[in-house]
Amino acid sequence: MRPPVLDPLFAPVSVVDGIGPRIAKLLGNLLPVPDAMDEPRVLGLAFHLPHSIIDRRKQPGIAFAPEGAIVTLKVRIDRHQPSPRGRSNVPYRVFAHDETGEIALVFFHAKAAWLEKSLPVGETMLVSGRVEWFNGRPNMVHPDHMVSEANAADLPLVEPVYPLTAGVTPKVLRKAVLSALERVPDLAEWDDPHLAKRQGFERFRASLVNLHAPRDEADVDLQNPFRRRLAYDELLAGQLALGMVRRKMKKSAGRVFKGDGAIADRIREAFGHDLTEAQERSLLEIGADQEKPERMLRLLQGDVGSGKTIVALLAMASVIETGAQAAMMAPTEILARQHFTSIGPLAEAAGLRIRILTGREKGKAREDTLAALSAGEIDILVGTHALFQDSVQFRDLGLAVVDEQHRFGVHQRLLLSAKGQHSDMLVMTATPIPRTLVLTAYGDMDVSKLDTKPPGRKPVHTVTVPLGRLDEVVERARNAVAAGQKIYWICPLVEENEDLKVASAEERFDALKKVINAPIGLVHGRMKGDEKDAVMRAFKQGDLRLLVATTVIEVGVDVPDATIMVIEHAERFGLAQLHQLRGRVGRGSDHSSCLLLYKEPLGEIAHARLAIMRETEDGFRIAEEDLRLRGEGEILGTRQSGAANYRLASLADHADLLEIARDDARLIIEIDPDLQSERGKALRTLLYLFERDEAIRLLRAG
């Protein structure tokens, strides 16, 4: 049960003074809304931190007020100039002066009586707002604050600025935040006292209150001690929860899988190439895990084309040699079928029985596969999410391999491994993930890295080209196709969109068909699975020479003789995505190139992205840059997948705290695994506070 001390924070925001149903609903656009509720919680308001400040201490005098700056002026009110009768579109003006010059205070749709009362002629007033200069004359449109000299103390000199949403004014939001803060209890300390002293951490409540009352720019900086304290708490909750999941999985004893190597040798023989040093190293690490009586939980990270699939197949062979079965799961049908096509011949050459199961297998064929699986007549089952279904029963699942893990949440990972009696799990990703993200999303896993490419891989020549030179690119594509080359042409949208002036895949397909005299295909996410597969197959076999596509081909599609990748509107794609797309070429022995077409003018971040793509093909460096430019949620796709998504911590700015949190969490789990000590009880509150309750449920389940 959640500790009652947290109840005030878990109440809906509508309990806060001044928030009715309408504002509560609007706040849902700004703050997280829990599944079982239709409005955010009070906690969401308390954690909604200001990003900057307005400093009203600047009082330069009218003549010295910079254009566009927010200033405070002490002025004498001279005269009112109401809007002409019947012309409400002409503003009401109030003229005032100080010893440096004159200013017009401008009001649209104003009530004259209210203004005469608020700004009496002859009175000295303090007004604060943004100054704009027109034709050499200063104006202040709708001042934020107007108080008489006698009431100067009522003017807030420093105001926090919060992220807003349409329909919620800064005043309403600030009032709601302050009410929410009053409901934050003083909680028992969960941080290690030595760490708190070393880092200069205040207590949790004091840190939160201070962050909402900034006095200068340093107080809204991500590195100030109050922000670092809250970031650390959030990271510690995440690391502790992941550590507890890992402990639970490790505790449910694993099995020892030590084969005789016979099947693996036959696979290597059929493969016909030497493995890279990184592949051999990863296999040794996986082998060591398989021989321990604990469950394997390992992440195999490898850049596009680093040879993860053969490593996974050899890992499956070790398990199958002991009489167990293996499963390989991919996030899309295209990718599942591709894995089936690429490992099928090697598996069969080694005498293994391999089948595929996706949403498309229906009727008799599906029933036959399910019956063979539960009878133990299938060694390897390749599939999509369909493998999660209750009807899929293995006789003895020893190893589950999950490809492109970041497309699946932690819960799905647990679901699949639950299909076997303590089965091992190997997760593969072609999205190189920065170390900090590996810790937050995969803190419960050991990591193997394929950081070298197989021999014979040629670098991909990358160039950036403005869209104004599209005709030249089309001409180059035409010549390349005529010379027998294969080309991918990627568009960001499926069909034309009025709001975005961006060429769609359908539009580009029609345009290229008119000028290129060769068979062209089109593939996008709205097509049915078998339609997509048919087009991909035709492109792979050479029946199509140019493929126009959306990003459905981003992950895993393998056409070794495709040598040119054109990405239209490259500025609309993230770095990791551009890197994945580029990885579709350069897979054979011929020289390959990637053309990034962009629309001018380029924003700062888009410019930085394209520059990095030109400079390097190192996926790990690209991932670090992507984290710096975009933030963590985007990279892992966690906006969708339910993995770590931080509100108070920034992985790019608080990476040092993440390392400390991980070590702290490990120590806690070692010395107080059931969180029974005084600190342990406080840590339970921390887990509830950051909504990591699954970890508490694991404690209860033992």
Side-chain angles (χ1 to χ4, degrees):
M1 289 289 289
R2 185 172 61 230
V5 69
L6 292 179
D7 289 349
L9 294 177
F10 281 75
V13 286
S14 48
V15 303
V16 169
D17 290 345
I19 294 190
R22 189 184 71 84
I23 298 287
K25 196 167 171 24
L26 289 171
L27 285 172
N29 300 326
L30 199 59
L31 310 173
V33 179
D35 289 342
M37 295 169 67
D38 46 14
E39 62 180 89
R41 294 186 170 125
V42 172
L43 183 68
L45 274 175
F47 281 172
H48 189 63
L49 300 178
H51 57 71
S52 56
I53 60 166
I54 295 172
D55 190 346
R56 300 190 189 281
R57 291 172 294 198
K58 296 184 192 116
Q59 301 194 12
I62 293 170
F64 306 110
E67 164 69 39
I70 290 176
V71 299
T72 302
L73 301 171
K74 185 173 174 181
V75 296
R76 194 170 175 80
I77 306 299
D78 295 329
R79 61 196 170 90
H80 284 235
Q81 183 184 307
S83 311
R85 192 183 292 270
R87 293 185 59 196
S88 58
N89 60 334
V90 177
Y92 189 117
R93 287 186 169 83
V94 178
F95 292 93
H97 75 278
D98 66 9
E99 59 268 23
T100 70
E102 188 182 52
I103 190 167
L105 309 176
V106 181
F107 302 88
F108 290 90
H109 309 294
K111 293 192 168 46
W114 178 78
L115 280 174
E116 282 163 10
K117 191 173 166 208
S118 303
L119 296 167
V121 173
E123 188 81 40
T124 298
M125 301 288 295
L126 288 170
V127 293
S128 191
R130 193 178 300 282
V131 171
E132 288 158 351
W133 289 76
F134 291 111
N135 303 326
R137 306 172 85 97
N139 291 267
M140 189 183 282
V141 179
H142 289 278
D144 303 324
H145 297 278
M146 306 184 298
V147 298
S148 66
E149 195 176 15
N151 295 329
D154 296 347
L155 180 71
L157 292 178
V158 179
E159 280 182 273
V161 180
Y162 292 92
L164 286 172
T165 185
V168 180
T169 64
K171 232 173 207 160
V172 166
L173 182 64
R174 174 70 176 154
K175 187 169 172 241
V177 165
L178 291 175
S179 296
L181 285 177
E182 285 171 13
R183 301 172 70 92
V184 177
D186 213 355
L187 299 167
E189 182 57 83
W190 48 71
D191 278 349
D192 174 72
H194 303 297
L195 171 77
K197 191 173 178 195
R198 201 167 59 243
Q199 292 284 343
F201 287 166
E202 296 281 339
R203 289 181 71 95
F204 171 77
R205 187 178 193 283
S207 299
L208 192 56
V209 169
N210 274 302
L211 280 174
H212 284 288
R215 300 301 302 153
D216 55 42
E217 289 294 344
D219 292 342
V220 287
D221 188 83
L222 288 174
Q223 294 299 355
N224 88 61
F226 303 127
R227 181 62 179 261
R228 281 174 64 83
R229 155 79 209 221
L230 295 188
Y232 182 75
D233 290 341
E234 186 169 29
L235 293 169
L236 180 61
Q239 290 301 297
L240 196 52
L242 279 170
M244 287 159 81
V245 169
R246 181 192 182 91
R247 176 173 165 265
K248 169 82 172 162
M249 288 190 80
K250 287 272 190 188
K251 224 169 74 173
S252 54
R255 296 151 63 188
V256 172
F257 295 109
K258 187 167 171 52
D260 57 9
I263 296 175
D265 288 344
R266 293 202 291 272
I267 290 171
R268 283 175 182 261
E269 200 178 313
F271 184 57
H273 306 284
D274 288 337
L275 297 190
T276 64
E277 183 252 328
Q279 286 172 314
E280 295 288 12
R281 183 181 66 231
S282 297
L283 279 168
L284 281 173
E285 290 165 351
I286 291 165
D289 283 358
Q290 290 176 326
E291 289 174 22
K292 285 182 196 155
E294 290 183 343
R295 296 178 71 174
M296 172 168 78
L297 263 180
R298 185 167 283 279
L299 174 68
L300 179 63
Q301 262 193 291
D303 210 341
V304 179
S306 56
K308 293 180 297 298
T309 316
I310 184 70
V311 172
L313 181 58
L314 288 166
M316 291 192 257
S318 308
V319 168
I320 295 163
E321 283 164 2
T322 67
Q325 295 164 294
M328 186 172 205
M329 189 175 73
T332 64
E333 184 134 0
I334 286 185
L335 194 48
R337 292 200 175 275
Q338 185 176 293
H339 279 316
F340 184 64
T341 311
S342 66
I343 66 176
L346 294 173
E348 282 163 7
L352 299 179
R353 300 160 297 180
I354 179 168
R355 292 261 192 103
I356 187 163
L357 185 71
T358 67
R360 202 193 307 171
E361 274 66 45
K362 300 262 191 316
K364 178 96 173 72
R366 182 183 177 81
E367 282 165 27
D368 289 351
T369 298
L370 292 176
L373 187 70
S374 61
E377 291 157 14
I378 293 175
D379 299 310
I380 299 174
L381 183 65
V382 179
T384 54
H385 294 74
L387 300 193
F388 289 136
Q389 292 165 356
D390 290 341
S391 57
V392 180
Q393 297 293 332
F394 292 80
R395 185 181 65 80
D396 180 14
L397 177 63
L399 172 65
V401 178
V402 182
D403 196 13
E404 286 308 321
Q405 151 71 31
H406 66 283
R407 307 291 177 100
F408 302 105
V410 174
H411 317 294
Q412 289 171 304
R413 189 159 89 207
L414 296 174
L415 267 178
L416 184 63
S417 64
K419 294 252 174 218
Q421 286 302 308
H422 315 303
S423 54
D424 285 349
M425 180 159 272
L426 179 68
V427 162
M428 305 196 298
T429 177
T431 309
I433 303 167
R435 176 173 165 66
T436 44
L437 286 193
V438 170
L439 284 182
T440 55
Y442 308 99
D444 54 333
M445 293 193 157
D446 300 305
V447 181
S448 291
K449 234 176 171 180
L450 296 180
D451 42 17
T452 52
K453 285 196 177 179
R457 276 292 171 94
K458 297 259 194 319
V460 178
H461 178 58
T462 304
V463 291
T464 50
V465 183
L467 270 167
R469 291 171 54 195
L470 182 65
D471 293 349
E472 292 172 43
V473 175
V474 172
E475 183 59 26
R476 182 176 164 189
R478 204 161 64 129
N479 294 337
V481 167
Q485 289 180 276
K486 276 190 196 170
I487 301 178
Y488 288 106
W489 193 299
I490 307 296
C491 298
L493 303 176
V494 176
E495 58 195 34
E496 205 174 344
N497 181 325
E498 276 303 305
D499 304 331
L500 297 170
K501 296 292 174 240
V502 175
S504 70
E506 289 171 346
E507 214 182 336
R508 182 59 62 223
F509 174 67
D510 292 338
L512 290 173
K513 261 198 320 200
K514 291 175 186 149
V515 292
I516 293 180
N517 185 21
I520 298 180
L522 171 67
V523 63
H524 56 70
R526 292 206 196 138
M527 291 161 67
K528 289 200 170 74
D530 38 8
E531 289 175 350
K532 277 192 284 206
D533 288 352
V535 176
M536 289 307 308
R537 200 162 41 247
F539 184 55
K540 190 164 182 162
Q541 289 165 355
D543 303 336
L544 299 173
R545 305 304 306 172
L546 190 151
L547 182 68
V548 179
T550 56
T551 54
V552 288
I553 65 116
E554 170 194 344
V555 174
V557 178
D558 191 20
V559 182
D561 57 345
T563 52
I564 297 175
M565 166 67 68
V566 179
I567 303 175
E568 203 166 331
H569 283 282
E571 78 281 356
R572 299 185 68 84
F573 294 94
L575 253 180
Q577 213 173 19
L578 288 172
H579 179 63
Q580 287 283 347
L581 289 166
R582 175 170 63 184
R584 300 298 112 224
V585 295
R587 301 173 82 85
S589 52
D590 293 332
H591 285 284
S592 294
S593 49
C594 174
L595 284 76
L596 304 174
L597 302 185
Y598 64 89
K599 184 172 189 261
E600 297 176 293
L602 273 182
E604 193 181 332
I605 287 184
H607 189 276
R609 270 192 208 134
L610 299 188
I612 292 157
M613 287 296 292
R614 276 203 315 270
E615 282 166 33
T616 182
E617 278 190 76
D618 176 351
F620 290 98
R621 187 186 151 205
I622 284 171
E624 295 287 352
E625 291 294 331
D626 205 17
L627 174 62
R628 200 174 55 75
L629 293 173
R630 279 203 303 172
E632 56 276 9
E634 305 286 350
I635 294 181
L636 287 173
T638 55
R639 302 267 183 268
Q640 290 76 42
S641 76
N645 201 352
Y646 292 100
R647 285 190 263 177
L648 307 174
S650 152
L651 296 186
D653 296 280
H654 300 132
D656 63 317
L657 294 177
L658 177 60
E659 299 273 355
I660 299 168
R662 185 200 48 176
D663 294 343
D664 197 5
R666 278 187 176 168
L667 187 63
I668 292 159
I669 288 168
E670 253 174 60
I671 60 176
D672 184 15
D674 298 322
L675 303 185
Q676 293 297 348
S677 65
E678 277 311 301
R679 185 184 178 202
K681 287 170 188 157
L683 284 162
R684 287 176 176 236
T685 303
L686 172 75
L687 289 169
Y688 277 111
L689 183 67
F690 285 101
E691 297 172 71
R692 303 284 181 162
D693 331 4
E694 300 104 325
I696 306 264
R697 282 199 288 281
L698 282 181
L699 277 182
R700 286 209 301 273

